[in-house]
Amino acid sequence: MGVLTLLSFPLSRSWRQKRSIDQEIKGLQSQASKLEGKNSNLKNVLDYMQSDQFVEKEARTKLNYKKAGESVVVIEDRPGTSVTASPSLFEVPPAPPTYPEPKTVINFNKWLDYFFKVQK
């Protein structure tokens, strides 16, 4: 009986270690698959950005280029209307809003407030 007890503790410890390692492996494998998916999406975007179609589109919209034989028509804004430009891949997104730093309270004062409802 004593021998069985002495053997069960190291075996249970090694079983728990193996289980935690297996869980960590599963987590890392799922993280790797997510990164592979993101990598393939970025590769598709890069391929599109290197294509002639993308270069032509950007040259037309950003640089006002035209093909030979084409004519460019400029439509001016009517009064009272505003034109919103569509965001491009190259534009920097707006900065996130800033929030004021929360007031720091000493832990001791938090306990006093919790137990004794001290009003300041």
Side-chain angles (χ1 to χ4, degrees), residues 13-119:
R13 186 181 312 150
S14 65
W15 179 76
R16 279 184 267 143
Q17 286 176 345
K18 182 185 181 314
R19 186 173 175 204
S20 68
I21 289 171
D22 289 342
Q23 288 175 348
E24 186 176 350
I25 288 172
K26 286 180 184 178
L28 290 174
Q29 286 174 342
S30 68
Q31 183 181 4
S33 65
K34 287 178 186 177
L35 289 174
E36 286 174 358
K38 187 176 180 180
N39 189 20
S40 66
N41 288 341
L42 289 174
K43 209 174 274 190
N44 291 339
V45 169
L46 182 63
D47 289 341
Y48 173 68
M49 292 177 88
Q50 291 175 342
S51 69
D52 293 336
Q53 179 184 12
F54 176 77
V55 172
E56 181 180 336
K57 177 186 165 198
E58 289 296 310
R60 286 174 181 262
T61 57
K62 300 278 169 106
L63 304 174
N64 297 325
Y65 281 10
K66 64 177 184 166
K67 285 186 177 180
E70 287 184 341
S71 59
V72 176
V73 177
V74 177
I75 301 173
E76 294 183 15
D77 295 337
R78 288 184 280 171
T81 61
S82 63
V83 177
T84 57
S86 62
S88 173
L89 294 173
F90 301 113
E91 293 178 5
V92 178
T98 58
Y99 299 105
E101 288 290 323
K103 181 181 172 186
T104 57
V105 180
I106 299 173
N107 201 21
F108 180 73
N109 291 342
K110 288 180 185 179
W111 282 106
L112 285 176
D113 291 343
Y114 182 75
F115 286 113
F116 301 112
K117 309 263 188 252
V118 176
Q119 299 296 323

